[in-house]
Amino acid sequence: QDKQKALALYKEAAYLKEPRGMINLAEMYRLGDNIEQSNTKAYMWSQLARFYTQFTKDMEAKLTARAMLDVLKKEMSLEEINLSEKLVKEWLNNN
């Protein structure tokens, strides 16, 4: 019910490299749910979730991250996707 708390918890989980936190944060960005809508950030967090699901047996998280990327790719320009990929690389290099 408390979307501010949910957002804070999803961010915390995402920064701890938890794929489900990343997926939930991506969904909040995609929908603009209690946060400024951004497909670029939604894609970034979905791509990071996809990356980190390589190290887990959580098939639901793997499939969800990939499905979210498929949806976002249909809604985004190539320029937006490229920017998202750049943000992914920066995040991986810094975290």
Side-chain angles (χ1 to χ4, degrees):
Q1 292 289 352
D2 186 346
K3 292 192 180 209
Q4 280 296 97
K5 186 171 184 172
L7 178 60
L9 290 172
Y10 293 153
K11 282 184 176 182
E12 183 179 341
Y15 278 91
L16 291 172
K17 302 176 183 170
E18 166 50 50
R20 286 187 176 263
M22 293 174 174
I23 290 166
N24 289 328
L25 185 56
E27 184 69 0
M28 288 186 89
Y29 274 114
R30 187 178 76 80
L31 297 174
D33 188 10
N34 209 46
I35 196 167
E36 185 177 338
Q37 196 282 334
S38 172
N39 282 344
T40 301
K41 289 182 182 178
Y43 186 99
M44 179 192 94
W45 285 112
S46 297
Q47 188 70 303
L48 287 167
R50 186 209 54 80
F51 176 78
Y52 284 107
T53 58
Q54 297 175 81
F55 312 110
T56 181
K57 294 181 180 182
D58 185 347
M59 289 304 294
E60 185 179 341
K62 290 179 190 219
L63 295 172
T64 301
R66 284 162 179 77
M68 190 173 290
L69 286 168
D70 289 342
V71 168
L72 287 163
K73 284 179 184 177
K74 292 176 184 174
E75 298 174 358
M76 296 172 68
S77 69
L78 183 57
E79 184 176 279
E80 289 172 315
I81 292 170
N82 288 338
L83 174 59
S84 297
E85 291 291 349
K86 180 182 174 192
L87 294 172
V88 168
K89 288 177 187 173
E90 288 174 4
W91 196 90
L92 289 171
N93 287 333
N94 294 316
N95 292 284

